[in-house]
Amino acid sequence: MQRWVSLGAGLLAAGLSVYVVATSYKSPAPIVNIDAAHDARDDAPSDAGVTEAGGEPRAEGEASGEAIAGSRDGGIGFSLADGTPVPALPDGSPREVKFGVVLVTYAGAQGVATGGRAKDVAREHAKKLSEEAQADFKSTVRRGDTGSSEDVGRVRRGILEPAVEFALFTLSVGSVAGPIDTPRGFWIVKRIE
């Protein structure tokens, strides 16, 4: 009898522990894998016919500006360098692009350990690298911070912050833009396709 009571108490304790963990779990912020996001959007239900706040219909699979911003306050990456709002993408903009990025991080950016470079220093470094990237993007990538890549892969509209998206989707193939301030640091981008 004592063995059954012990077993019952143990199972009850285990069940209670699972319940407490399950009800208090908060998922961490997602890490965006551009290829995975691309694949997931291909499998997502169609939202063709859904309209933007202004009444314009969205194309199938295109996220609304609200979906991009989520509950964010429109901070870094949600306005152009001069502080003006990011304009809508022009008609005829591609649905997805392939690109590379040179990343220049600074203290306070996402994923940057304490003691990173000051934002003003990072901005000046990014401006210098941007000029170099116009002539030789590949070698500039090697001088960028960890996370820089000559070919990040493909990204569809609605994945990145509006300022980065506007730059990428309005660039001509082979062109370089930046530096663009993002939550992860300054980006210098090159459109590959």
Side-chain angles (χ1 to χ4, degrees):
M1 178 74 175
Q2 187 177 15
R3 183 167 61 178
W4 289 108
V5 171
S6 296
L7 179 62
L11 288 174
L12 182 61
L16 184 59
S17 296
V18 168
Y19 173 78
V20 168
V21 169
T23 58
S24 65
Y25 178 75
K26 293 181 183 177
S27 67
I31 297 173
V32 176
N33 175 325
I34 292 173
D35 291 332
H38 172 93
D39 294 342
R41 291 181 66 85
D42 284 342
D43 298 334
S46 171
D47 59 356
V50 176
T51 59
E52 292 288 339
E56 292 296 318
R58 283 199 324 255
E60 181 177 334
E62 182 175 335
S64 72
E66 290 178 35
I68 296 169
S71 62
R72 294 185 245 178
D73 64 357
I76 296 172
F78 288 83
S79 61
L80 298 177
D82 64 2
T84 60
V86 177
L89 289 172
D91 291 339
S93 297
R95 310 273 317 136
E96 69 178 24
V97 295
K98 185 175 183 181
F99 73 105
V101 65
V102 176
L103 176 63
V104 179
T105 60
Y106 54 83
Q110 290 176 358
V112 177
T114 57
R117 67 173 69 93
K119 189 171 184 176
D120 290 342
V121 172
R123 181 180 289 113
E124 290 307 311
H125 183 57
K127 286 178 182 177
K128 180 181 174 193
L129 289 178
S130 182
E131 291 172 12
E132 294 173 14
Q134 301 291 334
D136 187 358
F137 190 79
K138 183 176 184 172
S139 68
T140 307
V141 166
R142 289 191 294 264
R143 287 195 301 286
D145 293 338
T146 301
S148 299
S149 177
E150 191 176 349
D151 183 354
V152 174
R154 295 186 178 280
V155 65
R156 286 189 171 191
R157 291 191 210 171
I159 301 295
L160 299 170
E161 293 82 17
V164 178
E165 184 172 288
F166 183 78
L168 276 173
F169 286 82
T170 57
L171 275 176
S172 58
V173 174
S175 295
V176 175
I180 306 161
D181 197 3
T182 77
R184 294 161 301 284
F186 290 102
W187 281 24
I188 300 156
V189 294
K190 178 179 181 178
R191 182 169 163 202
I192 299 170
E193 291 179 4

